[in-house]
Amino acid sequence: MRQAGARPVAGPGARVRTAVCAVAAVLLAVAAAPPPNPPNPPNPAKIPTVFLGDASIGGYGIAPVDQGALLCVRAAENLPDVIEDQLADQSILLDITADVSCAGAALHHVWEEQDLGGGMTAVPQKRALKKETKLVIASLGAGTAGLGRVLKQCSARLRGTDGAHLPDAPVDADSPARGCRSYFTAGAGKAWLADRFERTEKDLDKLFSEIRSESPSADTVLVGYPRLVPKDRTRCRAALPDGGKPLGDVPEDAWPLLDEKVQAPLNALMAKVSKRHGAHFVDLYATTGGATACDGTDRTVGGLLEPSGVTLLHQRLPWYLWANETGRDGNGDAVAQSIAAMYGHGPA
């Protein structure tokens, strides 16, 4: 007989069922609990960055102008701004410590003062470089190779008041603009061009040496220039929306000269010297031939002597074949993509 008040002893099967129920209850409680918050990923370190350059970096002709860089005609929103924004989207953060780009700068203005007119000068651009600088982005070379002087040699209008803001002189003012093609291909201008390219190569070498001396741990990126004259040059005969011509009054037989004797060899030289110094080269020339100054409303380069968006001293500044807003954005995207690939983001 069971003693009064005694509790029945559970058998083995009951104990197993009890244990299973307990485990199930724990599992249900765990499943119902909210997942723990994942740890926040560390913020990527900002890269101390300096921009050196001419109007291609500075954004000549794009309004509004940076009030702190009026004499350099540097746009308030220029190529560095586009590059910074595009890289930030890929978690590559730039700390732009300086943008010293200035319209009219040549390679030697990296280590020498630049005359801005009226007794004003810009200090050598290399002053912006510091030991802690980790990335240097530069675009220079067209001024040293003499693009502005070639344009003035080939344009009668640029030799007058229309070219007052282009601080170059024609190579030979006594040789007429209409004869510039023969001047540069068979005349004295041929030797002049060869000398300019020899000087450009030496100065590109010095550019990289100066950067390495001032910022020894920095990666260096040299940005080439967008193409000005398309392969299909007949497009350059069409009028711009304001009625002007994309290449101004440069004779049609000189259009190939700008591309084949100046721009293409300059691009190749910049690529070669960059490789020699272990720098990264962004080849805009190779990717921009489909949208140049000769593409109407889709143009990415302001037509020669086309009114730009900038007014200084009550005068509308003309374009001198520099990238407009559309070109700035496209070029900035291309440079950002190339830099991102350099840092292991996206396709090379």
Side-chain angles (χ1 to χ4, degrees):
M1 293 178 63
R2 184 189 304 170
Q3 296 181 353
R7 301 178 64 184
V9 178
R15 288 195 296 271
V16 170
R17 287 193 297 272
T18 301
V20 169
C21 289
V23 171
V26 171
L27 292 175
L28 287 171
V30 171
N37 292 327
N40 292 325
N43 291 326
K46 289 191 173 184
I47 304 170
T49 304
V50 172
F51 283 86
L52 312 176
D54 53 25
S56 61
I57 292 282
Y60 173 97
I62 298 174
V65 175
D66 181 350
Q67 294 301 303
L70 280 175
L71 293 180
C72 285
V73 203
R74 188 187 306 148
E77 294 184 4
N78 59 3
L79 198 71
D81 295 289
V82 178
I83 294 170
E84 180 183 26
D85 289 346
Q86 291 299 317
L87 287 176
D89 289 344
Q90 301 186 61
S91 299
I92 300 174
L93 305 183
L94 303 187
D95 175 16
I96 301 178
T97 59
D99 171 12
V100 290
S101 56
C102 192
L107 281 160
H108 68 272
H109 292 129
V110 171
W111 52 89
E112 296 177 7
E113 287 187 341
Q114 180 181 352
D115 183 5
L116 301 178
M120 304 294 290
T121 59
V123 300
Q125 294 191 13
K126 75 172 189 176
R127 298 268 186 91
L129 300 172
K130 307 299 179 186
K131 295 297 182 186
E132 58 269 22
T133 301
K134 298 300 180 185
L135 178 62
V136 181
I137 303 173
S139 186
L140 287 151
T144 306
L147 176 60
R149 298 194 67 182
V150 170
L151 289 174
K152 281 205 168 178
Q153 186 65 35
C154 295
S155 168
R157 287 185 62 190
L158 283 178
R159 297 188 192 192
T161 56
D162 288 334
H165 292 282
L166 186 64
D168 298 294
V171 182
D172 182 359
D174 293 330
S175 180
R178 63 181 180 274
C180 73
R181 180 181 179 277
S182 60
Y183 177 79
F184 284 115
T185 55
K190 184 176 181 179
W192 181 87
L193 270 177
D195 178 73
R196 294 319 304 163
F197 274 92
E198 183 178 340
R199 168 52 57 192
T200 301
E201 182 167 6
K202 290 179 180 178
D203 282 0
L204 281 169
D205 280 327
K206 186 171 175 59
L207 167 71
F208 290 116
S209 296
E210 293 285 351
I211 293 172
R212 186 166 54 250
S213 174
E214 300 295 329
S215 303
S217 62
D219 294 318
T220 302
V221 176
L222 185 64
V223 180
Y225 294 92
R227 190 168 185 168
L228 303 179
V229 182
K231 289 182 179 179
D232 180 8
R233 300 181 185 109
T234 60
R235 288 162 27 202
C236 299
R237 295 172 183 160
L240 294 169
D242 72 345
K245 291 295 184 69
L247 300 178
D249 64 334
V250 174
E252 186 168 341
D253 69 352
W255 297 350
L257 169 77
L258 296 177
D259 185 52
E260 298 168 4
K261 300 297 183 182
V262 181
Q263 220 191 351
L266 173 61
N267 188 73
L269 178 61
M270 293 173 75
K272 181 182 77 171
V273 179
S274 296
K275 183 177 181 179
R276 185 157 70 213
H277 288 269
H280 186 75
F281 179 66
V282 182
D283 190 353
L284 291 181
Y285 177 88
T287 60
T288 53
T292 64
C294 303
D295 289 276
T297 56
D298 296 326
R299 66 196 180 284
T300 56
V301 175
L304 187 63
L305 296 174
E306 176 187 5
S308 76
V310 174
T311 299
L312 286 181
L313 302 177
H314 308 291
Q315 290 185 334
R316 191 92 168 268
L317 296 186
W319 288 109
Y320 297 122
L321 298 179
W322 294 111
N324 57 21
E325 291 91 334
T326 302
R328 172 202 62 193
D329 294 346
N331 296 339
D333 289 348
V335 174
Q337 290 174 15
S338 188
I339 292 175
M342 184 178 78
Y343 285 118
H345 294 240

